[in-house]
Amino acid sequence: MKVRKAVIPAAGLGTRMLPATKTVPKEMLPLVDKPAIQYIIEEAAAAGIEDILIVTNRAKSAMDDYFDYYPELETRLNQGGKDRELTEIRRVADLANIFYVRQKETKGLGHAIWRAKRFVGDEPFAVLLGDDVMRSDKPVIGQLIEAAEKYEASAVGVQQVGLDVIGKYCSVKTEALEERIFGVSDLVEKPRPEQVFSNYAILGRYVLSPGVFDVLENLEPGYGGEIQLTDGLSKLCRMEKMVAVDFEGRRYDTGNLKGFLEATIDFALEHPETGEWLQDFLRKKGKEL
Ligand code: G1P
């Protein structure tokens, strides 16, 4: 079945980016000239997703406003002949049909996804984590959708990470199916060294069957006392088919300061208005250091 819906959990407290995120949602911090959440929504839209649910909390209303029309501003831009800006803010508001639901309590990623049950209904859906911003030729979520459709399975997006850092992610038990695609038979969240299955970790992208909701509903809290999506997937992959896709693209963890700066610099180097200038600036800076 075609994947038409996506869920973006964005109800985290942003504690790794304080003090900036005390009043500005971390998803709204700009990577060059666009907020991080816009890159995620553009990725979903480019993969053919039409309806997107953002799971938010009470401190995130700036996000709803961002994807709305803004008539006063549009009139002003129109009168001032700022056609490029006008087209751009309209394009952003029309990227997809965007819906919102609040998580109400911060009880973990699995709980946030469970809040999407009514929105999703009975069809497979995509999940894009707000912190994981991708740079790729083909949308990463589109790569997963292709595999999910081919294998009639849920699909998780993985890449290899160092064994020294896998404890920050989850570890996936994989069996090769074809180039870049694996069968999944188990997963563990934030593994201790003796629990590691492989150095393949999920990096922020999933296509899930609606069967995940029944599993999440009955799940006990796991790592950190939270309802963990990975624990739900570990149950789901025993009941239904699941594949892992070693996706092509570069992933930035924009939820921490260093990843955020890496993304900012790389995106600014590619941006037509800043690319050449930044190259020059960095060369000069390099000589000074
Ligand atoms: C979450 C997931 C984890 C995944 C990671 C990167 O962890 O729980 O399985 O590997 O995102 O996408 P968090 O970064 O919220 O600790």
Side-chain angles (χ1 to χ4, degrees), residues 85-132:
E85 288 82 354
L86 181 59
T87 311
E88 180 60 8
I89 63 161
R90 269 283 162 147
R91 186 188 70 82
V92 171
D94 289 333
L95 276 170
N97 303 313
I98 304 188
F99 301 79
Y100 302 89
V101 67
R102 288 195 176 182
Q103 191 181 4
K104 294 191 199 165
E105 297 168 280
T106 309
K107 282 167 70 171
L109 180 58
H111 179 257
I113 299 299
W114 175 76
R115 293 285 291 142
K117 182 178 166 151
R118 295 290 288 266
F119 165 80
V120 167
D122 195 26
E123 52 185 294
F125 64 104
V127 174
L128 299 93
L129 302 193
D131 281 348
D132 296 289

mmCIF file of all heavy atoms in Angstrom, residues 85-132:
data_model
loop_
_atom_site.group_PDB
_atom_site.id
_atom_site.type_symbol
_atom_site.label_atom_id
_atom_site.label_comp_id
_atom_site.label_asym_id
_atom_site.label_seq_id
_atom_site.Cartn_x
_atom_site.Cartn_y
_atom_site.Cartn_z
ATOM 1 N N GLU A 85 10.759 36.400 -1.872
ATOM 2 C CA GLU A 85 10.419 36.086 -0.481
ATOM 3 C C GLU A 85 8.957 35.652 -0.374
ATOM 4 O O GLU A 85 8.621 34.718 0.350
ATOM 5 C CB GLU A 85 10.653 37.295 0.438
ATOM 6 C CG GLU A 85 12.118 37.634 0.692
ATOM 7 C CD GLU A 85 12.755 38.461 -0.417
ATOM 8 O OE1 GLU A 85 12.114 38.689 -1.466
ATOM 9 O OE2 GLU A 85 13.925 38.881 -0.231
ATOM 10 N N LEU A 86 8.093 36.348 -1.110
ATOM 11 C CA LEU A 86 6.660 36.039 -1.070
ATOM 12 C C LEU A 86 6.402 34.613 -1.570
ATOM 13 O O LEU A 86 5.687 33.833 -0.922
ATOM 14 C CB LEU A 86 5.908 37.059 -1.938
ATOM 15 C CG LEU A 86 4.392 36.910 -2.002
ATOM 16 C CD1 LEU A 86 3.778 37.013 -0.610
ATOM 17 C CD2 LEU A 86 3.782 38.003 -2.895
ATOM 18 N N THR A 87 7.025 34.286 -2.697
ATOM 19 C CA THR A 87 6.842 32.941 -3.255
ATOM 20 C C THR A 87 7.338 31.899 -2.261
ATOM 21 O O THR A 87 6.710 30.861 -2.053
ATOM 22 C CB THR A 87 7.659 32.797 -4.572
ATOM 23 O OG1 THR A 87 7.369 33.934 -5.374
ATOM 24 C CG2 THR A 87 7.327 31.532 -5.309
ATOM 25 N N GLU A 88 8.465 32.193 -1.629
ATOM 26 C CA GLU A 88 9.070 31.216 -0.721
ATOM 27 C C GLU A 88 8.192 30.979 0.513
ATOM 28 O O GLU A 88 7.956 29.840 0.897
ATOM 29 C CB GLU A 88 10.483 31.678 -0.320
ATOM 30 C CG GLU A 88 11.232 30.751 0.624
ATOM 31 C CD GLU A 88 11.468 29.331 0.086
ATOM 32 O OE1 GLU A 88 11.193 29.074 -1.106
ATOM 33 O OE2 GLU A 88 11.899 28.480 0.887
ATOM 34 N N ILE A 89 7.678 32.045 1.131
ATOM 35 C CA ILE A 89 6.888 31.792 2.352
ATOM 36 C C ILE A 89 5.564 31.096 2.022
ATOM 37 O O ILE A 89 5.068 30.306 2.805
ATOM 38 C CB ILE A 89 6.672 33.039 3.244
ATOM 39 C CG1 ILE A 89 5.871 34.111 2.540
ATOM 40 C CG2 ILE A 89 7.970 33.582 3.809
ATOM 41 C CD1 ILE A 89 5.284 35.097 3.553
ATOM 42 N N ARG A 90 5.017 31.352 0.840
ATOM 43 C CA ARG A 90 3.803 30.632 0.407
ATOM 44 C C ARG A 90 4.118 29.156 0.131
ATOM 45 O O ARG A 90 3.356 28.272 0.490
ATOM 46 C CB ARG A 90 3.243 31.254 -0.876
ATOM 47 C CG ARG A 90 2.242 32.334 -0.605
ATOM 48 C CD ARG A 90 0.932 31.687 -0.213
ATOM 49 N NE ARG A 90 0.072 32.628 0.461
ATOM 50 C CZ ARG A 90 -1.258 32.619 0.381
ATOM 51 N NH1 ARG A 90 -1.865 31.721 -0.344
ATOM 52 N NH2 ARG A 90 -1.957 33.493 1.055
ATOM 53 N N ARG A 91 5.277 28.916 -0.509
ATOM 54 C CA ARG A 91 5.671 27.539 -0.825
ATOM 55 C C ARG A 91 5.792 26.718 0.457
ATOM 56 O O ARG A 91 5.311 25.599 0.551
ATOM 57 C CB ARG A 91 7.018 27.542 -1.581
ATOM 58 C CG ARG A 91 7.466 26.176 -2.094
ATOM 59 C CD ARG A 91 8.880 26.213 -2.651
ATOM 60 N NE ARG A 91 9.892 26.403 -1.628
ATOM 61 C CZ ARG A 91 10.400 25.433 -0.864
ATOM 62 N NH1 ARG A 91 9.992 24.194 -1.024
ATOM 63 N NH2 ARG A 91 11.314 25.693 0.054
ATOM 64 N N VAL A 92 6.395 27.339 1.473
ATOM 65 C CA VAL A 92 6.597 26.638 2.743
ATOM 66 C C VAL A 92 5.248 26.261 3.359
ATOM 67 O O VAL A 92 5.052 25.141 3.836
ATOM 68 C CB VAL A 92 7.391 27.537 3.725
ATOM 69 C CG1 VAL A 92 7.423 26.929 5.114
ATOM 70 C CG2 VAL A 92 8.794 27.765 3.208
ATOM 71 N N ALA A 93 4.295 27.210 3.329
ATOM 72 C CA ALA A 93 2.993 26.948 3.946
ATOM 73 C C ALA A 93 2.205 25.884 3.175
ATOM 74 O O ALA A 93 1.308 25.255 3.726
ATOM 75 C CB ALA A 93 2.197 28.246 4.025
ATOM 76 N N ASP A 94 2.558 25.679 1.892
ATOM 77 C CA ASP A 94 1.801 24.733 1.063
ATOM 78 C C ASP A 94 2.545 23.414 0.826
ATOM 79 O O ASP A 94 2.159 22.636 -0.047
ATOM 80 C CB ASP A 94 1.487 25.381 -0.303
ATOM 81 C CG ASP A 94 0.446 26.489 -0.162
ATOM 82 O OD1 ASP A 94 -0.362 26.419 0.785
ATOM 83 O OD2 ASP A 94 0.455 27.429 -0.987
ATOM 84 N N LEU A 95 3.611 23.150 1.595
ATOM 85 C CA LEU A 95 4.418 21.947 1.346
ATOM 86 C C LEU A 95 3.616 20.655 1.524
ATOM 87 O O LEU A 95 3.842 19.676 0.834
ATOM 88 C CB LEU A 95 5.615 21.911 2.314
ATOM 89 C CG LEU A 95 6.855 22.711 1.901
ATOM 90 C CD1 LEU A 95 7.846 22.780 3.044
ATOM 91 C CD2 LEU A 95 7.508 22.073 0.663
ATOM 92 N N ALA A 96 2.702 20.650 2.497
ATOM 93 C CA ALA A 96 1.923 19.436 2.790
ATOM 94 C C ALA A 96 0.722 19.848 3.632
ATOM 95 O O ALA A 96 0.646 20.991 4.094
ATOM 96 C CB ALA A 96 2.794 18.440 3.567
ATOM 97 N N ASN A 97 -0.215 18.916 3.844
ATOM 98 C CA ASN A 97 -1.280 19.170 4.830
ATOM 99 C C ASN A 97 -0.686 18.834 6.185
ATOM 100 O O ASN A 97 -0.337 17.677 6.423
ATOM 101 C CB ASN A 97 -2.478 18.251 4.582
ATOM 102 C CG ASN A 97 -3.015 18.418 3.178
ATOM 103 O OD1 ASN A 97 -3.206 19.536 2.731
ATOM 104 N ND2 ASN A 97 -3.210 17.308 2.479
ATOM 105 N N ILE A 98 -0.584 19.831 7.045
ATOM 106 C CA ILE A 98 0.086 19.575 8.322
ATOM 107 C C ILE A 98 -0.940 19.577 9.464
ATOM 108 O O ILE A 98 -1.782 20.469 9.551
ATOM 109 C CB ILE A 98 1.205 20.590 8.568
ATOM 110 C CG1 ILE A 98 2.177 20.534 7.384
ATOM 111 C CG2 ILE A 98 1.945 20.286 9.871
ATOM 112 C CD1 ILE A 98 3.420 21.327 7.530
ATOM 113 N N PHE A 99 -0.849 18.549 10.295
ATOM 114 C CA PHE A 99 -1.745 18.376 11.441
ATOM 115 C C PHE A 99 -0.881 18.371 12.693
ATOM 116 O O PHE A 99 0.315 18.095 12.635
ATOM 117 C CB PHE A 99 -2.492 17.044 11.327
ATOM 118 C CG PHE A 99 -3.314 16.923 10.063
ATOM 119 C CD1 PHE A 99 -2.704 16.593 8.843
ATOM 120 C CD2 PHE A 99 -4.677 17.136 10.078
ATOM 121 C CE1 PHE A 99 -3.459 16.486 7.679
ATOM 122 C CE2 PHE A 99 -5.435 17.024 8.914
ATOM 123 C CZ PHE A 99 -4.828 16.699 7.715
ATOM 124 N N TYR A 100 -1.506 18.647 13.826
ATOM 125 C CA TYR A 100 -0.750 18.689 15.086
ATOM 126 C C TYR A 100 -1.504 17.918 16.161
ATOM 127 O O TYR A 100 -2.728 17.950 16.200
ATOM 128 C CB TYR A 100 -0.581 20.146 15.557
ATOM 129 C CG TYR A 100 0.112 21.007 14.538
ATOM 130 C CD1 TYR A 100 -0.625 21.682 13.565
ATOM 131 C CD2 TYR A 100 1.496 21.130 14.517
ATOM 132 C CE1 TYR A 100 0.000 22.454 12.596
ATOM 133 C CE2 TYR A 100 2.130 21.905 13.561
ATOM 134 C CZ TYR A 100 1.377 22.568 12.598
ATOM 135 O OH TYR A 100 1.998 23.319 11.643
ATOM 136 N N VAL A 101 -0.748 17.269 17.025
ATOM 137 C CA VAL A 101 -1.347 16.700 18.231
ATOM 138 C C VAL A 101 -0.319 16.907 19.332
ATOM 139 O O VAL A 101 0.889 16.917 19.065
ATOM 140 C CB VAL A 101 -1.706 15.195 18.046
ATOM 141 C CG1 VAL A 101 -0.470 14.333 17.893
ATOM 142 C CG2 VAL A 101 -2.551 14.685 19.201
ATOM 143 N N ARG A 102 -0.799 17.142 20.545
ATOM 144 C CA ARG A 102 0.160 17.320 21.647
ATOM 145 C C ARG A 102 0.416 16.003 22.360
ATOM 146 O O ARG A 102 -0.494 15.198 22.528
ATOM 147 C CB ARG A 102 -0.383 18.363 22.623
ATOM 148 C CG ARG A 102 -0.298 19.743 22.016
ATOM 149 C CD ARG A 102 -0.470 20.804 23.056
ATOM 150 N NE ARG A 102 -0.289 22.113 22.436
ATOM 151 C CZ ARG A 102 -0.344 23.244 23.103
ATOM 152 N NH1 ARG A 102 -0.581 23.250 24.394
ATOM 153 N NH2 ARG A 102 -0.165 24.389 22.482
ATOM 154 N N GLN A 103 1.651 15.850 22.783
ATOM 155 C CA GLN A 103 1.988 14.626 23.509
ATOM 156 C C GLN A 103 1.471 14.686 24.952
ATOM 157 O O GLN A 103 1.255 13.667 25.579
ATOM 158 C CB GLN A 103 3.502 14.370 23.478
ATOM 159 C CG GLN A 103 3.866 12.987 23.986
ATOM 160 C CD GLN A 103 5.354 12.702 23.996
ATOM 161 O OE1 GLN A 103 6.169 13.557 23.684
ATOM 162 N NE2 GLN A 103 5.718 11.490 24.357
ATOM 163 N N LYS A 104 1.266 15.902 25.463
ATOM 164 C CA LYS A 104 0.752 16.174 26.822
ATOM 165 C C LYS A 104 1.733 15.797 27.936
ATOM 166 O O LYS A 104 1.908 16.532 28.886
ATOM 167 C CB LYS A 104 -0.589 15.488 27.075
ATOM 168 C CG LYS A 104 -1.713 16.023 26.217
ATOM 169 C CD LYS A 104 -3.030 15.483 26.731
ATOM 170 C CE LYS A 104 -4.118 15.581 25.700
ATOM 171 N NZ LYS A 104 -5.282 14.778 26.036
ATOM 172 N N GLU A 105 2.336 14.614 27.862
ATOM 173 C CA GLU A 105 3.322 14.218 28.870
ATOM 174 C C GLU A 105 4.573 13.762 28.127
ATOM 175 O O GLU A 105 4.458 13.085 27.106
ATOM 176 C CB GLU A 105 2.838 13.015 29.671
ATOM 177 C CG GLU A 105 1.594 13.251 30.483
ATOM 178 C CD GLU A 105 1.056 11.916 30.993
ATOM 179 O OE1 GLU A 105 0.389 11.220 30.226
ATOM 180 O OE2 GLU A 105 1.352 11.588 32.157
ATOM 181 N N THR A 106 5.759 14.106 28.643
ATOM 182 C CA THR A 106 6.998 13.682 27.997
ATOM 183 C C THR A 106 7.335 12.268 28.475
ATOM 184 O O THR A 106 7.979 12.088 29.497
ATOM 185 C CB THR A 106 8.126 14.681 28.342
ATOM 186 O OG1 THR A 106 7.647 15.992 28.049
ATOM 187 C CG2 THR A 106 9.380 14.434 27.534
ATOM 188 N N LYS A 107 6.832 11.276 27.730
ATOM 189 C CA LYS A 107 6.989 9.889 28.183
ATOM 190 C C LYS A 107 7.756 9.032 27.192
ATOM 191 O O LYS A 107 7.649 7.809 27.225
ATOM 192 C CB LYS A 107 5.605 9.274 28.428
ATOM 193 C CG LYS A 107 5.008 9.748 29.756
ATOM 194 C CD LYS A 107 3.549 9.427 29.914
ATOM 195 C CE LYS A 107 3.190 7.997 30.098
ATOM 196 N NZ LYS A 107 1.768 7.807 30.457
ATOM 197 N N GLY A 108 8.488 9.685 26.274
ATOM 198 C CA GLY A 108 9.337 8.905 25.373
ATOM 199 C C GLY A 108 8.841 8.869 23.940
ATOM 200 O O GLY A 108 7.687 9.191 23.640
ATOM 201 N N LEU A 109 9.766 8.456 23.046
ATOM 202 C CA LEU A 109 9.496 8.436 21.607
ATOM 203 C C LEU A 109 8.357 7.470 21.256
ATOM 204 O O LEU A 109 7.491 7.786 20.430
ATOM 205 C CB LEU A 109 10.787 8.026 20.871
ATOM 206 C CG LEU A 109 10.749 7.935 19.358
ATOM 207 C CD1 LEU A 109 10.337 9.261 18.738
ATOM 208 C CD2 LEU A 109 12.119 7.511 18.826
ATOM 209 N N GLY A 110 8.328 6.318 21.906
ATOM 210 C CA GLY A 110 7.272 5.338 21.621
ATOM 211 C C GLY A 110 5.906 5.909 21.962
ATOM 212 O O GLY A 110 4.928 5.736 21.229
ATOM 213 N N HIS A 111 5.832 6.635 23.053
ATOM 214 C CA HIS A 111 4.574 7.253 23.477
ATOM 215 C C HIS A 111 4.161 8.351 22.495
ATOM 216 O O HIS A 111 2.981 8.486 22.143
ATOM 217 C CB HIS A 111 4.742 7.806 24.905
ATOM 218 C CG HIS A 111 3.523 8.482 25.434
ATOM 219 N ND1 HIS A 111 3.419 9.859 25.496
ATOM 220 C CD2 HIS A 111 2.355 8.000 25.902
ATOM 221 C CE1 HIS A 111 2.237 10.181 25.991
ATOM 222 N NE2 HIS A 111 1.572 9.076 26.250
ATOM 223 N N ALA A 112 5.149 9.128 22.019
ATOM 224 C CA ALA A 112 4.854 10.191 21.037
ATOM 225 C C ALA A 112 4.263 9.575 19.762
ATOM 226 O O ALA A 112 3.275 10.082 19.220
ATOM 227 C CB ALA A 112 6.118 10.985 20.710
ATOM 228 N N ILE A 113 4.843 8.485 19.304
ATOM 229 C CA ILE A 113 4.337 7.838 18.078
ATOM 230 C C ILE A 113 2.930 7.276 18.325
ATOM 231 O O ILE A 113 2.045 7.358 17.473
ATOM 232 C CB ILE A 113 5.292 6.699 17.617
ATOM 233 C CG1 ILE A 113 6.678 7.267 17.299
ATOM 234 C CG2 ILE A 113 4.726 5.953 16.409
ATOM 235 C CD1 ILE A 113 6.721 8.286 16.201
ATOM 236 N N TRP A 114 2.719 6.733 19.502
ATOM 237 C CA TRP A 114 1.407 6.168 19.837
ATOM 238 C C TRP A 114 0.317 7.248 19.744
ATOM 239 O O TRP A 114 -0.822 6.967 19.360
ATOM 240 C CB TRP A 114 1.466 5.559 21.247
ATOM 241 C CG TRP A 114 0.148 5.070 21.700
ATOM 242 C CD1 TRP A 114 -0.482 3.921 21.293
ATOM 243 C CD2 TRP A 114 -0.727 5.729 22.616
ATOM 244 N NE1 TRP A 114 -1.705 3.829 21.911
ATOM 245 C CE2 TRP A 114 -1.879 4.915 22.722
ATOM 246 C CE3 TRP A 114 -0.651 6.903 23.355
ATOM 247 C CZ2 TRP A 114 -2.945 5.258 23.545
ATOM 248 C CZ3 TRP A 114 -1.709 7.252 24.174
ATOM 249 C CH2 TRP A 114 -2.845 6.443 24.270
ATOM 250 N N ARG A 115 0.683 8.504 20.004
ATOM 251 C CA ARG A 115 -0.291 9.602 19.915
ATOM 252 C C ARG A 115 -0.782 9.802 18.473
ATOM 253 O O ARG A 115 -1.747 10.516 18.229
ATOM 254 C CB ARG A 115 0.332 10.916 20.422
ATOM 255 C CG ARG A 115 0.650 10.926 21.898
ATOM 256 C CD ARG A 115 -0.593 11.069 22.745
ATOM 257 N NE ARG A 115 -1.216 12.384 22.643
ATOM 258 C CZ ARG A 115 -2.539 12.603 22.635
ATOM 259 N NH1 ARG A 115 -3.376 11.596 22.682
ATOM 260 N NH2 ARG A 115 -3.015 13.835 22.552
ATOM 261 N N ALA A 116 -0.100 9.196 17.503
ATOM 262 C CA ALA A 116 -0.479 9.360 16.092
ATOM 263 C C ALA A 116 -1.491 8.316 15.636
ATOM 264 O O ALA A 116 -1.904 8.313 14.476
ATOM 265 C CB ALA A 116 0.771 9.265 15.215
ATOM 266 N N LYS A 117 -1.916 7.451 16.544
ATOM 267 C CA LYS A 117 -2.772 6.315 16.154
ATOM 268 C C LYS A 117 -4.022 6.756 15.383
ATOM 269 O O LYS A 117 -4.339 6.218 14.325
ATOM 270 C CB LYS A 117 -3.162 5.548 17.420
ATOM 271 C CG LYS A 117 -3.991 4.340 17.162
ATOM 272 C CD LYS A 117 -4.295 3.602 18.454
ATOM 273 C CE LYS A 117 -5.410 2.610 18.155
ATOM 274 N NZ LYS A 117 -5.423 1.442 18.936
ATOM 275 N N ARG A 118 -4.740 7.735 15.884
ATOM 276 C CA ARG A 118 -5.995 8.169 15.230
ATOM 277 C C ARG A 118 -5.721 8.790 13.860
ATOM 278 O O ARG A 118 -6.497 8.631 12.933
ATOM 279 C CB ARG A 118 -6.735 9.188 16.116
ATOM 280 C CG ARG A 118 -7.216 8.636 17.431
ATOM 281 C CD ARG A 118 -8.368 7.646 17.206
ATOM 282 N NE ARG A 118 -9.583 8.324 16.822
ATOM 283 C CZ ARG A 118 -10.537 8.702 17.665
ATOM 284 N NH1 ARG A 118 -10.411 8.444 18.955
ATOM 285 N NH2 ARG A 118 -11.614 9.316 17.226
ATOM 286 N N PHE A 119 -4.624 9.535 13.763
ATOM 287 C CA PHE A 119 -4.256 10.187 12.507
ATOM 288 C C PHE A 119 -3.917 9.144 11.443
ATOM 289 O O PHE A 119 -4.319 9.248 10.290
ATOM 290 C CB PHE A 119 -3.060 11.116 12.756
ATOM 291 C CG PHE A 119 -2.346 11.593 11.517
ATOM 292 C CD1 PHE A 119 -2.849 12.639 10.758
ATOM 293 C CD2 PHE A 119 -1.157 10.990 11.105
ATOM 294 C CE1 PHE A 119 -2.187 13.077 9.610
ATOM 295 C CE2 PHE A 119 -0.490 11.424 9.965
ATOM 296 C CZ PHE A 119 -1.013 12.475 9.219
ATOM 297 N N VAL A 120 -3.185 8.113 11.848
ATOM 298 C CA VAL A 120 -2.660 7.142 10.888
ATOM 299 C C VAL A 120 -3.731 6.168 10.413
ATOM 300 O O VAL A 120 -3.810 5.844 9.230
ATOM 301 C CB VAL A 120 -1.470 6.362 11.519
ATOM 302 C CG1 VAL A 120 -1.118 5.143 10.684
ATOM 303 C CG2 VAL A 120 -0.258 7.275 11.665
ATOM 304 N N GLY A 121 -4.587 5.717 11.338
ATOM 305 C CA GLY A 121 -5.586 4.715 10.950
ATOM 306 C C GLY A 121 -4.929 3.400 10.604
ATOM 307 O O GLY A 121 -3.995 2.976 11.297
ATOM 308 N N ASP A 122 -5.341 2.803 9.499
ATOM 309 C CA ASP A 122 -4.917 1.439 9.208
ATOM 310 C C ASP A 122 -4.030 1.363 7.976
ATOM 311 O O ASP A 122 -4.273 0.584 7.070
ATOM 312 C CB ASP A 122 -6.189 0.575 9.015
ATOM 313 C CG ASP A 122 -5.839 -0.904 9.065
ATOM 314 O OD1 ASP A 122 -4.823 -1.254 9.706
ATOM 315 O OD2 ASP A 122 -6.557 -1.691 8.432
ATOM 316 N N GLU A 123 -3.035 2.219 7.893
ATOM 317 C CA GLU A 123 -2.132 2.155 6.730
ATOM 318 C C GLU A 123 -0.685 2.363 7.178
ATOM 319 O O GLU A 123 -0.446 2.933 8.246
ATOM 320 C CB GLU A 123 -2.530 3.188 5.675
ATOM 321 C CG GLU A 123 -2.692 4.609 6.164
ATOM 322 C CD GLU A 123 -3.212 5.537 5.058
ATOM 323 O OE1 GLU A 123 -2.472 5.741 4.078
ATOM 324 O OE2 GLU A 123 -4.327 6.060 5.176
ATOM 325 N N PRO A 124 0.268 1.890 6.369
ATOM 326 C CA PRO A 124 1.668 2.115 6.748
ATOM 327 C C PRO A 124 1.987 3.599 6.732
ATOM 328 O O PRO A 124 1.374 4.358 5.967
ATOM 329 C CB PRO A 124 2.458 1.367 5.679
ATOM 330 C CG PRO A 124 1.535 1.159 4.550
ATOM 331 C CD PRO A 124 0.140 1.171 5.087
ATOM 332 N N PHE A 125 2.918 4.032 7.562
ATOM 333 C CA PHE A 125 3.226 5.467 7.661
ATOM 334 C C PHE A 125 4.710 5.665 7.902
ATOM 335 O O PHE A 125 5.407 4.769 8.382
ATOM 336 C CB PHE A 125 2.401 6.113 8.790
ATOM 337 C CG PHE A 125 2.720 5.584 10.171
ATOM 338 C CD1 PHE A 125 3.483 6.324 11.069
ATOM 339 C CD2 PHE A 125 2.272 4.331 10.579
ATOM 340 C CE1 PHE A 125 3.784 5.846 12.342
ATOM 341 C CE2 PHE A 125 2.572 3.838 11.844
ATOM 342 C CZ PHE A 125 3.317 4.596 12.718
ATOM 343 N N ALA A 126 5.168 6.864 7.545
ATOM 344 C CA ALA A 126 6.584 7.193 7.728
ATOM 345 C C ALA A 126 6.779 7.911 9.062
ATOM 346 O O ALA A 126 5.874 8.593 9.536
ATOM 347 C CB ALA A 126 7.038 8.096 6.580
ATOM 348 N N VAL A 127 7.949 7.757 9.648
ATOM 349 C CA VAL A 127 8.329 8.518 10.845
ATOM 350 C C VAL A 127 9.664 9.193 10.552
ATOM 351 O O VAL A 127 10.605 8.540 10.076
ATOM 352 C CB VAL A 127 8.474 7.600 12.083
ATOM 353 C CG1 VAL A 127 9.021 8.381 13.275
ATOM 354 C CG2 VAL A 127 7.144 6.948 12.442
ATOM 355 N N LEU A 128 9.732 10.494 10.799
ATOM 356 C CA LEU A 128 10.985 11.243 10.606
ATOM 357 C C LEU A 128 11.290 11.962 11.910
ATOM 358 O O LEU A 128 10.478 12.779 12.373
ATOM 359 C CB LEU A 128 10.849 12.274 9.474
ATOM 360 C CG LEU A 128 10.524 11.736 8.075
ATOM 361 C CD1 LEU A 128 9.014 11.731 7.821
ATOM 362 C CD2 LEU A 128 11.202 12.589 7.014
ATOM 363 N N LEU A 129 12.410 11.642 12.534
ATOM 364 C CA LEU A 129 12.746 12.311 13.794
ATOM 365 C C LEU A 129 13.278 13.711 13.508
ATOM 366 O O LEU A 129 14.123 13.901 12.622
ATOM 367 C CB LEU A 129 13.781 11.501 14.583
ATOM 368 C CG LEU A 129 13.405 10.059 14.954
ATOM 369 C CD1 LEU A 129 14.388 9.514 16.007
ATOM 370 C CD2 LEU A 129 11.980 9.929 15.466
ATOM 371 N N GLY A 130 12.773 14.681 14.282
ATOM 372 C CA GLY A 130 13.079 16.083 14.035
ATOM 373 C C GLY A 130 14.552 16.454 14.163
ATOM 374 O O GLY A 130 15.015 17.396 13.518
ATOM 375 N N ASP A 131 15.311 15.709 14.974
ATOM 376 C CA ASP A 131 16.731 16.043 15.181
ATOM 377 C C ASP A 131 17.611 15.579 14.027
ATOM 378 O O ASP A 131 18.735 16.046 13.879
ATOM 379 C CB ASP A 131 17.270 15.336 16.435
ATOM 380 C CG ASP A 131 16.859 16.052 17.704
ATOM 381 O OD1 ASP A 131 16.373 17.194 17.614
ATOM 382 O OD2 ASP A 131 17.032 15.451 18.777
ATOM 383 N N ASP A 132 17.140 14.593 13.265
ATOM 384 C CA ASP A 132 17.994 13.970 12.249
ATOM 385 C C ASP A 132 17.717 14.597 10.890
ATOM 386 O O ASP A 132 16.743 14.253 10.219
ATOM 387 C CB ASP A 132 17.739 12.457 12.210
ATOM 388 C CG ASP A 132 18.123 11.782 13.514
ATOM 389 O OD1 ASP A 132 19.319 11.679 13.790
ATOM 390 O OD2 ASP A 132 17.214 11.402 14.274
#
